[in-house]
């Protein structure tokens, strides 16, 4: 399983067998013509490993470490995707750092519009700074709000990433206490305040959702309501031709089941459309 090769020992190839091994070896030494068996430590410095198409020329210790790392990478790539969590509700916390008050407000959001409304509600114009960050999926923004560049908004955003939460907004309001903290102190204060608040805030699991839209005649509206009863964002639109469109958000795994129920209950006289929707928070069991 392992082939060990060196350079040249005594000007030619020789075959050696370590205990419990039968391997073809080429050995190297600064003294030509030496016929005695080379020291094992020499091979541990020189050997190359060919295993599964991987070639490495390192020390014995380095080879074991790299092979273990490769195995770990393969194992981790086979791990199932972990659940995504968001905040259950609005939460706030306060810390004092060298007489400056850092008041942190966090809340779940679905888009930038919701963040703008949240910031408008939380912003305190009497404070020295209202620094913030938010993240929804792959979208994010952050602001230092007058603090030195990179000392407030970015540490808050990094706190969100470190928490593992998504669809989250964080606003840290600072009331200056008269003592300057310096760049490093600001980074620790803003990042630490955000991390502490996110860690304490209750969280819930996020569920992938689909938007189900049913178009049918008004005579079927009672049937559709019974099927979609209790679903999120249930609403009805009446069309000019007398038909209706009923829509609701449902867990992604339920969308096809609901579609089949509607088709069966209406004898395929209703049209069902399914599109992806933004995720929703689910209460932990």
């Amino acid at each position: 399983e392992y082939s060990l090769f060196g350079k040249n020992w005594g000007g030619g190839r020789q075959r050696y067998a370590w205990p419990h091994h039968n391997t073809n070896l080429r050995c190297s030494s600064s003294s030509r013509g030496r016929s005695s068996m080379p020291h094992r430590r020499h091979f541990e410095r020189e050997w190359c490993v060919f295993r599964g198409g991987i070639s490495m020329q390192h020390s014995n210790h380095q080879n074991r470490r790299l092979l273990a790392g490769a195995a770990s990478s393969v194992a981790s790539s086979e791990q199932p995707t972990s659940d995504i969590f968001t905040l259950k509700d609005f939460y706030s916390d306060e810390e004092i750092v060298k007489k400056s008050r850092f008041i942190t407000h966090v809340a779940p959001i679905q888009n930038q519009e919701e963040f703008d409304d949240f910031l408008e509600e939380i912003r305190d114009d009497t404070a020295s700074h209202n620094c913030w960050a938010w993240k929804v999926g792959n979208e994010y923004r952050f602001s230092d709000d007058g603090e030195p560049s990179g000392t407030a908004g970015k540490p808050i955003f990094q706190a969100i990433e470190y928490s593992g939460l998504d669809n989250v907004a964080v606003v840290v309001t600072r009331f200056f206490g008269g003592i300057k903290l310096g760049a490093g102190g600001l980074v620790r204060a803003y990042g630490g305040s955000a991390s502490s608040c996110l860690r304490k805030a209750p969280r819930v699991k996020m569920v992938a959702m689909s938007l189900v839209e049913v178009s049918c005649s008004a005579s079927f509206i009672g049937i559709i309501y019974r099927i979609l009863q209790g679903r999120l964002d249930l609403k009805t639109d009446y069309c000019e031709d007398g038909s209706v469109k009923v829509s609701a958000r449902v867990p992604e795994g339920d969308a096809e089941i609901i579609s089949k129920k509607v088709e069966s209950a209406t004898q395929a006289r209703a049209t069902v459309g399914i599109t992806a929707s933004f995720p929703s928070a689910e209460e932990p069991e």
Side-chain angles (χ1 to χ4, degrees), residues 11-119:
R13 301 183 183 182
Q14 298 186 36
R15 179 180 178 87
Y16 296 106
W18 296 116
H20 311 296
H21 291 282
N22 285 316
T23 52
N24 289 317
L25 308 176
R26 276 198 237 169
C27 315
S28 63
S29 173
S30 58
S31 57
R32 286 185 168 272
R34 184 176 178 181
S35 59
S36 60
M37 193 171 182
H39 198 282
R40 188 184 185 102
R41 285 176 300 182
H42 177 79
F43 288 95
E44 291 177 343
R45 291 197 306 270
E46 297 280 320
W47 68 331
C48 298
V49 179
F50 295 83
R51 185 179 189 182
I54 302 174
S55 176
M56 294 174 288
Q57 187 165 2
H58 296 287
S59 69
N60 193 12
H61 172 73
Q62 288 172 312
N63 277 312
R64 287 199 301 269
R65 185 177 59 189
L66 289 172
L67 287 171
S72 176
S73 298
V74 172
S76 63
S77 66
E78 296 174 355
Q79 294 289 337
T81 304
S82 59
D83 294 328
I84 301 175
F85 290 82
T86 188
L87 296 174
K88 182 178 180 180
D89 204 350
F90 172 86
Y91 190 83
S92 62
D93 194 23
E94 179 176 338
E95 291 189 2
I96 306 295
V97 180
K98 293 185 177 180
K99 298 185 179 180
S100 285
R101 293 175 60 204
F102 289 86
I103 304 174
T104 304
H105 305 279
V106 299
I109 60 170
Q110 297 291 350
N111 47 52
Q112 183 170 358
E113 289 71 26
E114 289 191 14
F115 168 74
D116 292 338
D117 294 339
F118 173 64
L119 180 61

Side-chain angles (χ1 to χ4, degrees), residues 158-179:
Q158 289 172 335
I160 295 175
E161 285 197 310
Y162 181 78
S163 72
L165 297 170
D166 201 359
N167 289 41
V168 172
V170 180
V171 178
V172 181
T173 299
R174 180 192 183 191
F175 290 88
F176 183 57
I179 301 176

Side-chain angles (χ1 to χ4, degrees), residues 1 13 53 75 81 91 94 96 109 111 120 136-137 155 168 187 193 203 216 220 228 239 241 247 266 268 280:
E1 192 171 357
R13 301 183 183 182
T81 304
Y91 190 83
E94 179 176 338
I96 306 295
I109 60 170
N111 47 52
E120 185 67 25
V136 176
V168 172
V187 169
S193 297
R203 57 180 64 191
C216 60
F220 291 118
L228 295 177
C239 305
D241 60 1
S247 63
T266 62
S280 179

Side-chain angles (χ1 to χ4, degrees), residues 128-196:
S128 307
H129 306 278
N130 293 276
C131 306
W132 52 264
W134 61 266
K135 180 179 182 294
V136 176
N138 293 325
E139 297 185 37
Y140 63 89
R141 298 286 187 280
F142 51 80
S143 170
D144 295 314
D145 192 40
E147 293 282 28
S149 179
T151 62
K154 189 173 182 178
I156 296 173
F157 172 68
Q158 289 172 335
I160 295 175
E161 285 197 310
Y162 181 78
S163 72
L165 297 170
D166 201 359
N167 289 41
V168 172
V170 180
V171 178
V172 181
T173 299
R174 180 192 183 191
F175 290 88
F176 183 57
I179 301 176
K180 293 184 177 181
L181 302 181
L186 290 173
V187 169
R188 290 188 292 273
Y190 279 103
S193 297
S195 293
S196 177

